[in-house]
Amino acid sequence: MMVGELGVTFHLCFSSRVTVITCQWLMGICKVNSVDLPDGSSWESGVFVERCKYLEESKCVGICVNTCKLPTQTFFKDYMGIPLLMEPNFNDYSCQFKFGVLPPLPEDDGTLKEPCLEVCPIASKRRGAASDMVIMRCPKA
């Protein structure tokens, strides 16, 4: 491993640890875990959020994607110089952070195509207002 690679690896692992220490109040219980990086290596540069408070409270794909996932990925890439892929799980409200992994292009990001959650208060209101309307995807994502 070259010195430059060691510095990048340090930043990725450091970012995951700092995230766990400083963000549990917002996200919920989380732990550092290993992720596979694009170069084929595996590092302790992931953060697994067991049950995201933000997603669980909002129960909304659009709020998760637009006020958490996309801005957080952009912040780390643009201001910290660290690629980050966030993978929310809308079934169990967990979320996997992968520091060192670039997010897919918007047209390839399955999260942006995720339908509204059945429990989403916004979707419930829309269904009530237009019961014959088919809700294909979250209007906010």
Side-chain angles (χ1 to χ4, degrees), residues 15-31 47-57 68 72 76 84 86 93-97 99:
S15 296
S16 64
R17 281 159 179 71
V18 168
T19 300
V20 167
I21 292 168
T22 61
C23 296
Q24 288 197 47
W25 68 271
L26 175 64
M27 301 184 307
I29 296 171
C30 51
K31 62 184 176 185
V47 172
F48 181 72
V49 181
E50 292 179 14
R51 196 162 173 92
C52 178
K53 290 180 185 180
Y54 197 72
L55 177 55
E56 186 174 24
E57 289 296 318
C68 185
T72 303
F76 275 94
L84 170 64
M86 292 174 62
Y93 302 133
S94 66
C95 188
Q96 177 65 56
F97 285 52
F99 291 100

Side-chain angles (χ1 to χ4, degrees), residues 61-112:
V61 170
I63 289 174
C64 170
V65 169
N66 292 305
T67 64
C68 185
K69 175 185 164 59
L70 296 177
T72 303
Q73 289 176 166
T74 300
F75 171 79
F76 275 94
K77 182 175 103 356
D78 293 352
Y79 295 99
M80 304 296 286
I82 299 171
L84 170 64
L85 171 60
M86 292 174 62
E87 298 175 322
N89 181 322
F90 298 112
N91 294 315
D92 66 6
Y93 302 133
S94 66
C95 188
Q96 177 65 56
F97 285 52
K98 295 181 176 180
F99 291 100
V101 178
L102 282 170
L105 296 172
E107 58 270 15
D108 298 328
D109 191 342
T111 306
L112 301 180

